Amino acid sequence: MLPLDTVFQQIAAVLLVAAVIGAVGRLLRQPLIISFIAVGIVAGPLVLDIVRETEEIELLAQIGISLLLFIVGLKLDVRLIRTLGPVALATGLGQVAFTSGVGFLLTLAMGFDPVTSLYIAIALTFSSTIIIVKLLSDKGETEQLHGRIAIGFLIVQDIVVILVMIGLSAFGGARGEEADLLVELGLVAVRGVLFVTAIVGLMRWAMPPLLHWLARTPELLVLFSIAWAVALAVAGDLLGFSEEVGAFLAGLSLAATPYREALAARLTTLRDFLLLFFFVDLGARMTFGDAASQLAPAAVLSAFVLIGNPIIVMVIMGVMRYRKRVGFLAGLTVAQISEFSLIFAALGLGLGHITEETLGLITTVGIITIGVSTYMILNSHWLFERLEPLLDIFERDGAADPDLDDGPPAPDVVVMGLGRYGGEIASALADAGREVLGVDFDPAALDQLRERGLRVAYGDVEDPDLPGVLPLERAAWVVSSVRALDANLALLQAFDHHGFAGRVAVSADRDHDAELLREHGAALVLMPLRDAAAAAVERIGSGD
């Protein structure tokens, strides 16, 4: 036992352990969620027994969960479901129905009671949108057909899990033998309608001008979004829902604004940091007895998720006449359970519906399936080549993958910084027939370019996570009109970190800065002041 007496010392030790285990996970190409759970196990009573002041850890965990649900709501694009048509709904709802139904019967056969079996079965149905989108993005497959279908049915799953949480919150609110569950459900429904109506009213009349003003200072916009997420989480809890539902609705209320992608990018690092404490708290609850007694059922349930979930997706997509390749690649994305499953199980534990042994079982299944499925997705094309002869049963005669690409074309030039210089560059490129996307954090500059018919997006050139949310699949050039050296050096590093395959042009005022930018990977350095001076001299000379 380490001599750590204060909360500060314990959190410092947890962060150090997290850094070491995270580095190991990085070498093994595992998502952070696996490393975070491992941190909880190592920092808990099983190994180092670091975590003792649990109230502070739980508080940070609650804020992290609220941010997670806020970002999920923020990125929930219901239009994608409409674009993909019936395939997202059919595969999403079909997989949920199959996994929950068969999983319930399977857990009953393994000797669990009905309530525990129901919780386990529901937990097995949810796949991690965050992990899958990250893996598909790293492979450059988010815009491919199987990637778009996968994101579509993952969104359907997200909607289902929120509805389940709302129902669970209502059920948990009906306490005592004399409580009338139907009355409680009715009251929750009325409060829910009023809650949503109030949010819609605020977003229609009060929020647009406020967000427009706040967006001039990106840091203030981020601070407001965090306050909004936490405030609605508290409101959701006070109204008899859960904090998770309130936070999700907060994100959903901002999903239609032009600031959604920039906010999601800015909040991702903070979310990951705070979620560490949720998984620390979760891992610290596990004991040797829990893990040892649940290894056999965990192995059976993990095999069911890893094999059964992809198969049902392939069956549904085969019936809908998609080719076996698309069905296989999309099916692999549901071969794991998600962080929502763990949050859902933790909520059930808090309500007294399940035991810590059940929570440990679901967590163990999560560790196994997330770890294994990560390698399956990263090597999906290699797996398909080996298994292709066995997959013919999932492809019907006349199968043909439809073309679902009806969105705006991906830009081939991204111009960052839309002041007078950057705005003129963007307009000139558009006039020359290039597909241009303009990026700036000034709403007024965005409005001016939008009025000229250009496609624009809100974002800060100094945000290191911005390249991860920009549509860069076809971009040959990224052009920065910002002349700040530090900002352009950070920009070059960010695009290199995200594996951008195109070229980056930046701007500078001094020769020394230009040389330094070239050394850090700039393909072209623009010199606005020198170019303007040269043009002026040329015009003056031609007028003599």
Side-chain angles (χ1 to χ4, degrees), residues 1-21 36-58 276-277 279-281 283-286:
M1 180 181 295
L2 297 177
L4 302 175
D5 299 323
T6 69
V7 177
F8 184 82
Q9 291 173 352
Q10 293 172 29
I11 290 179
V14 166
L15 294 178
L16 180 60
V17 172
V20 174
I21 293 180
F36 283 176
I37 295 173
V39 171
I41 297 172
V42 173
L46 286 178
V47 184
L48 298 179
D49 194 21
I50 294 173
V51 181
R52 299 168 203 151
E53 303 294 335
T54 58
E55 290 185 4
E56 290 79 2
I57 298 293
E58 289 176 359
L276 166 65
F277 296 99
F279 292 110
V280 165
D281 181 56
R285 295 175 186 267
M286 300 181 67

Side-chain angles (χ1 to χ4, degrees), residues 74 210-225 254 256-266 414-418 437-447 449-450 454-463 465-467 469-471:
L74 194 66
L210 176 61
L211 292 174
H212 191 80
W213 180 74
L214 291 172
R216 298 177 183 273
T217 308
E219 294 81 4
L220 187 57
L221 180 63
V222 171
L223 177 60
F224 171 78
S225 68
L254 302 183
T257 69
Y259 315 114
R260 51 178 284 182
E261 297 294 350
L263 283 175
R266 282 278 183 129
V414 176
V415 179
M416 309 186 73
L418 302 178
L437 173 66
V439 180
D440 203 299
F441 67 84
D442 184 358
L446 296 178
D447 290 342
L449 267 287
R450 192 180 290 112
L454 270 72
R455 183 179 169 194
V456 295
Y458 179 86
D460 185 359
V461 67
E462 298 186 36
D463 181 1
D465 294 318
L466 184 60
V469 299
L470 292 175

Side-chain angles (χ1 to χ4, degrees), residues 455-501:
R455 183 179 169 194
V456 295
Y458 179 86
D460 185 359
V461 67
E462 298 186 36
D463 181 1
D465 294 318
L466 184 60
V469 299
L470 292 175
L472 301 174
E473 297 82 11
R474 291 182 52 244
W477 280 96
V478 169
V479 181
S480 169
S481 69
V482 178
R483 300 197 298 273
L485 176 63
D486 291 343
N488 281 323
L489 288 174
L491 179 76
L492 290 168
Q493 183 179 10
F495 276 92
D496 179 66
H497 173 72
H498 284 82
F500 177 57

Side-chain angles (χ1 to χ4, degrees), residues 78-91:
V78 180
R79 291 173 297 180
L80 181 61
I81 299 176
R82 293 200 300 265
T83 301
L84 293 172
V87 63
L89 288 173
T91 50

Side-chain angles (χ1 to χ4, degrees), residues 23 45 61 71 73 75 81 120 125 139 216 240-241 243 249 273 312 337 343 354 387 402 416 426 438 466 475 479 512:
I71 293 175
K75 297 180 74 66
I81 299 176
I120 295 174
T125 63
K139 296 181 66 180
R216 298 177 183 273
F241 303 107
E243 295 165 351
L249 291 176
F273 173 74
I312 190 60
I337 68 173
I343 293 171
I354 61 175
L387 299 176
M416 309 186 73
L466 184 60
V479 181
H512 176 269

